[in-house]
Amino acid sequence: MQNEQMLMQIEDEKITGTHRVLLYYFYTKLNNAESFWKKHKTFSESIGVKGRIIVSDEGINGTIAGTIAQTDMYMYGLRMHPLFRKLWFKIDYSDHNTFPRLSVKYRKEIVALHLEEKNSKDLNPIDCTGTHLKPKEFLELSRQKNAIIVDVRNEYEYETGHFTNTFRPKKLFHYRDFPEWQKENIPEEYKENMHILTVCTGGIKCEKLSGYLKDEGFKNVYQLNGGIATYLKDKEVDGADYDGQLYVFDDRIAVSYSETRSKYKVLTKCVHCQKSSERLVNSANRACNEQFFCCIGCQPKTLRSCSKDCMVAEENEYLMCGIAETTTEAQKPTTTNTKKKVQA
């Protein structure tokens, strides 16, 4: 019976690619976590999956990719562990492996918030976390006047796509800065009379931050179950009230899930020509490597550069390879990008 339950998610899928991308996490008290980490690293390497996995005393967090057979083995193998039998995998498909290598690390937290370093007690989502809402429940509550959506993702993720009615009076550049951001931006009176709906990519950041908000005295705190990745694929809500793409931490960079959204609005613009573009690229200047939106028409003109300095930099890949076009002053970029390179 247990084997049937573990395979149910796999069997119910409609496979639409040669590879799967798995996004998952699970909070649990993991005794001998360092020993589990070493074994899980060997297990993952033997299967051949690639991606990033973090193991800690508080559980596991990962985003990996592999062939259908490899991910079948990975999901089945991880769920064979008694602590992870109820682990939920969010699944996307691709025509290739979206990661260049495998990294399996042991860390203190499966997603770093460092509350103890901020003179706050660390929180265990198993004991204290916000109420989970299904996509339709989230949509209905988010449209009420006494509710606000709090997006706890980094600024570059937020700019790629977000809910139209998100409460964001000030930029949040890093997830770890949320405790300070909350104190500066969310009014004290909201603790009693507002419903706080937290959102993030796959749900893991909200698990601890929603618990943090409850510990700070907010009475009505919720989280979008499965994160935005689940919401955008839910046919019932049809991606309502969300504009743009979803930033992801693999070589796809961002996904639209447009096949499950009847209404789709492009949110971002090319930094050079200011025309609508969802094409997120890294600067060709290896010393910079910042990410920015660049339409396909501007890429050859600007040597895939986020600034004039990057266009003429010695480490610009176009110049190093000798394939750069002659660029006139009129073709050079007029906007300097401020997005930072993604840190895993």
Side-chain angles (χ1 to χ4, degrees), residues 16-235:
T16 57
T18 59
H19 289 70
R20 285 194 190 99
V21 184
L22 307 180
L23 178 67
Y24 63 96
Y25 70 89
F26 199 83
Y27 276 100
T28 185
K29 185 178 180 181
L30 190 58
N31 295 323
N32 301 315
E34 290 192 57
S35 175
F36 174 83
W37 157 59
K38 293 175 182 177
K39 293 177 181 178
H40 192 70
K41 184 174 186 294
T42 300
F43 165 69
S44 303
E45 289 173 340
S46 69
I47 292 175
V49 293
K50 297 178 181 179
R52 292 185 292 270
I53 302 168
I54 298 174
V55 174
S56 82
D57 297 346
E58 61 183 16
I60 190 169
N61 174 27
T63 174
I64 65 166
T67 64
I68 302 301
Q70 288 170 333
T71 51
D72 275 350
M73 287 188 286
Y74 183 85
M75 289 190 285
Y76 185 83
L78 188 51
R79 284 175 173 163
M80 286 295 289
H81 192 290
L83 292 177
F84 299 125
R85 283 185 176 143
K86 295 182 179 180
L87 193 151
W88 176 19
F89 290 96
K90 293 100 180 173
I91 300 173
D92 282 349
Y93 286 92
S94 174
D95 59 2
H96 67 287
N97 195 312
T98 59
F99 291 96
R101 63 188 65 86
L102 174 67
S103 171
V104 185
K105 296 182 178 180
Y106 172 81
R107 290 180 179 170
K108 185 175 181 180
E109 297 178 272
I110 54 176
V111 60
L113 185 56
H114 307 303
L115 284 175
E116 291 177 331
E117 296 177 10
K118 299 178 174 65
N119 298 318
S120 300
K121 66 179 180 181
D122 196 18
L123 296 169
N124 188 337
I126 298 174
D127 303 320
C128 181
T129 194
T131 303
H132 291 78
L133 296 176
K134 295 179 180 179
K136 186 178 181 179
E137 295 172 331
F138 173 88
L139 177 61
E140 292 173 350
L141 184 55
S142 71
R143 288 177 169 177
Q144 295 185 14
K145 292 183 178 180
N146 64 336
I148 61 170
I149 296 175
V150 176
D151 193 323
V152 305
R153 296 175 300 160
N154 301 333
E155 196 63 24
Y156 58 81
E157 299 174 78
Y158 175 80
E159 290 180 359
T160 303
H162 54 259
F163 286 98
T164 54
N165 51 342
T166 301
F167 176 84
R168 206 173 182 95
K170 184 179 178 182
K171 292 183 177 181
L172 175 63
F173 288 101
H174 301 289
Y175 166 74
R176 62 178 178 272
D177 298 331
F178 183 84
E180 291 82 4
W181 183 93
Q182 170 261 309
K183 289 179 172 63
E184 294 174 2
N185 293 282
I186 303 182
E188 279 288 313
E189 57 266 28
Y190 282 16
K191 290 183 175 181
E192 296 291 337
N193 59 17
M194 293 294 285
H195 295 284
I196 312 297
L197 283 63
T198 61
V199 299
C200 60
T201 303
I204 186 170
K205 291 181 176 180
C206 294
E207 294 283 1
K208 186 166 284 192
L209 275 189
S210 62
Y212 166 80
L213 289 171
K214 292 182 67 175
D215 194 63
E216 285 290 298
F218 290 88
K219 303 299 183 184
N220 305 295
V221 183
Y222 307 85
Q223 57 185 302
L224 176 56
N225 195 33
I228 300 169
T230 298
Y231 184 89
L232 294 182
K233 292 191 285 186
D234 187 274
K235 294 181 180 179

